[in-house]
Amino acid sequence: MKVVHSPLHARHDGGKELHRGELVPCFEMPVRADYILKAVERAGLEVLEPRSFAHESLLRVHDAAFVEFLRTAHAEWRSLGKQGFMLPSGFPARGLRRDHIPSGINGRMGYYAFDASTPIVEGTWDAALAAAHCALTAAALVAEGEKSAYALCRPPGHHAGHALYGGYCFLNNAALAAQHLRDRGFARVAVLDVDYHHGNGTQDIFWERSDVLFVSIHATPETEYPYFLGYADERGAGAGEGYTLNLPLPRGTGWKEYSAALGASLDAIGTFSPEALVVSLGVDTYEGDPISAFKLAQEHYPLIGQRLAGLKLPTVFVQEGGYAVDEIGTNVAGVLEGFLGRR
């Protein structure tokens, strides 16, 4: 399995986030990717830098004006004499207009963001674009005949929607990978999201499509971020009705319950009969994760990889969450080595 990684991820650094009412240093930090990189290198996996892709590749899943906002936001911020990181201070909530995009940077920031936990810094665009190219490269490798590939993306992507950022995510790496596979001739693609948090952005992008099945195992939005999507009754709309499957689980879920949900997910994917699989690989399901509350142990991550391998599909792994920094590399490598049959 080839690993695609860019050192440009480190340019996204230095902001703070509003976490459960407190302004704190970001849990999503560069060292996360550094620890994963060391672990996959120890596992003997080949590491490649990403290829470059045309700007239009991003527009296959994202709104053009939204992408341009992300590309230019911090430069515009600086042009006003401001320094440091950007966080929104207002959002178009109920009763406010959502049909008009403000011209000012503060209004546009709130229009496109859905939380105050996702700071934009000077290097954010460089890092987000590099992460997107990592995902597209991994998908290209699989389209060219590799059985699997792993995109070591940072920042993550599954909370980013068609024209929406938040949850540490700016561009939706998993959706870009799935769309690239579709564009390369894979008629049906399944996206399985195993991050602790619901992949609301991926759901948004494929909500009305029947060619991409979106399945997510995550903590219940009744108590866990992103709170307002990820319920079991969300099943898609229009042509996509029935092609979204959410399996929310309560805080404190352990391996027995999680394994059952994983089995249901794999059954649904088998019924869909996809030609390729994209895995949004979050390991914040780990029992020691500082912002999550599942109880999976290190021994369970190779089991997840083994179960995924049982689908016998060309597979792209795309890195999402995981904030127990000391263990993140071991847990990610555990999934990949389990998938490869090494553990």
Side-chain angles (χ1 to χ4, degrees):
M1 182 188 297
K2 291 183 171 65
V3 174
V4 189
H5 167 71
S6 171
L8 293 180
H9 81 88
R11 295 189 182 180
H12 179 60
D13 188 25
K16 291 187 176 181
E17 64 171 287
L18 191 65
H19 176 70
R20 298 186 183 269
E22 295 183 292
L23 194 63
V24 300
C26 290
F27 290 96
E28 203 292 287
M29 59 187 74
V31 71
R32 297 175 61 249
D34 298 337
Y35 274 62
I36 296 171
L37 181 61
K38 290 176 183 177
V40 297
E41 287 177 334
R42 285 195 302 269
L45 302 185
E46 181 183 358
V47 179
L48 310 171
E49 289 205 9
R51 306 172 188 175
S52 293
F53 290 81
H55 181 74
E56 287 71 24
S57 298
L58 306 179
L59 307 187
R60 296 293 290 138
V61 302
H62 287 295
D63 172 73
F66 167 66
V67 173
E68 184 65 9
F69 164 79
L70 292 177
R71 189 183 71 83
T72 61
H74 203 269
E76 184 173 349
W77 178 260
R78 294 197 310 274
S79 75
L80 299 175
K82 298 185 178 184
Q83 301 294 325
F85 63 93
M86 303 168 57
L87 284 178
S89 56
F91 305 92
R94 289 184 300 275
L96 303 181
R97 290 187 64 171
R98 304 184 187 190
D99 63 336
H100 178 76
I101 304 174
S103 60
I105 186 63
N106 288 289
R108 271 183 292 132
M109 190 177 4
Y111 180 86
Y112 286 121
F114 69 92
D115 67 19
S117 67
T118 312
I120 294 176
V121 302
E122 184 174 2
T124 295
W125 174 252
D126 292 339
L129 182 62
H133 286 178
C134 286
L136 288 165
T137 301
L141 289 168
V142 168
E144 292 160 6
E146 296 282 345
K147 293 181 179 179
S148 60
Y150 167 56
L152 205 181
C153 295
R154 184 188 170 268
H158 72 148
H159 292 304
H162 175 66
L164 191 72
Y165 76 96
Y168 310 146
C169 303
F170 301 94
L171 297 171
N172 194 308
N173 307 311
L176 287 164
Q179 184 61 53
H180 188 80
L181 291 170
R182 285 286 296 109
D183 292 341
R184 294 290 296 270
F186 292 80
R188 294 178 306 283
V189 177
V191 179
L192 174 61
D193 193 322
V194 296
D195 191 275
Y196 178 81
H197 306 94
H198 178 246
N200 59 285
T202 313
Q203 176 172 295
D204 168 55
I205 289 167
F206 297 119
W207 183 247
E208 296 185 357
R209 290 175 53 173
S210 60
D211 57 331
V212 178
L213 174 71
F214 174 65
V215 181
S216 181
I217 312 168
H218 54 271
T220 175
E222 290 286 357
T223 58
E224 305 306 295
Y225 186 92
Y227 305 116
F228 307 109
L229 277 180
Y231 292 91
D233 63 353
E234 298 162 19
R235 294 181 45 79
E241 185 173 358
Y243 293 92
T244 290
L245 174 63
N246 285 307
L247 296 166
L249 300 170
R251 288 175 63 89
T253 289
W255 174 247
K256 180 180 179 180
E257 297 79 12
Y258 190 90
S259 177
L262 180 60
S265 298
L266 299 180
D267 287 345
I269 291 169
T271 299
F272 180 62
S273 297
E275 297 180 356
L277 174 68
V278 175
V279 180
S280 271
L281 180 57
V283 293
D284 43 1
T285 50
Y286 175 59
E287 60 188 352
D289 196 274
I291 61 173
S292 306
F294 281 176
K295 301 299 181 184
L296 271 62
Q298 287 190 353
E299 66 198 59
H300 297 132
Y301 292 98
L303 301 180
I304 292 173
Q306 292 168 18
R307 300 277 291 280
L308 295 173
L311 290 171
K312 301 186 184 306
L313 290 169
T315 300
V316 179
F317 291 91
V318 177
Q319 187 60 45
E320 304 288 1
Y323 308 99
V325 173
D326 290 342
E327 295 84 8
I328 188 173
T330 299
N331 291 338
V332 169
V335 174
L336 301 181
E337 291 193 284
F339 182 86
L340 294 170
R342 297 181 180 178
R343 295 176 64 181

